[in-house]
Amino acid sequence: SVWHSISYLRKPQAMADIVTALEARGHIARTPDPAHGRRLRTSLTAEGRALLAALADEVGALEERMLAALDP
């Protein structure tokens, strides 16, 4: 359900799960941060940039629908 999904996204582990899934699909890459040994940097791969570009119109339309309900 939607509420279950929202509840899950509020958990700290959710971001790690999302990043892991995006990396497994080839949309992002993780590399060590040279300034901090325990951090990993994330960046879009060529495949991730292509997917983002392909979905730009759909994402824009969704954002407009979501924001339309808010008062200015």
Side-chain angles (χ1 to χ4, degrees):
S1 76
V2 172
W3 294 115
H4 176 71
S5 297
I6 291 170
S7 175
Y8 168 74
L9 290 174
R10 293 176 52 193
K11 296 181 181 188
Q13 185 61 36
M15 184 57 69
D17 292 345
I18 291 167
V19 168
T20 298
L22 290 169
E23 183 180 34
R25 291 182 176 124
H27 300 309
I28 65 167
R30 290 192 264 195
T31 56
D33 183 338
H36 191 286
R38 294 181 58 196
R39 289 186 192 156
L40 292 173
R41 292 182 175 192
T42 58
S43 58
L44 285 172
T45 62
E47 292 85 358
R49 284 190 294 280
L51 178 63
L52 188 60
L55 296 175
D57 290 341
E58 288 182 54
V59 171
L62 177 60
E63 287 176 347
E64 285 181 24
R65 286 197 313 266
M66 290 170 56
L67 295 175
L70 302 176
D71 290 330

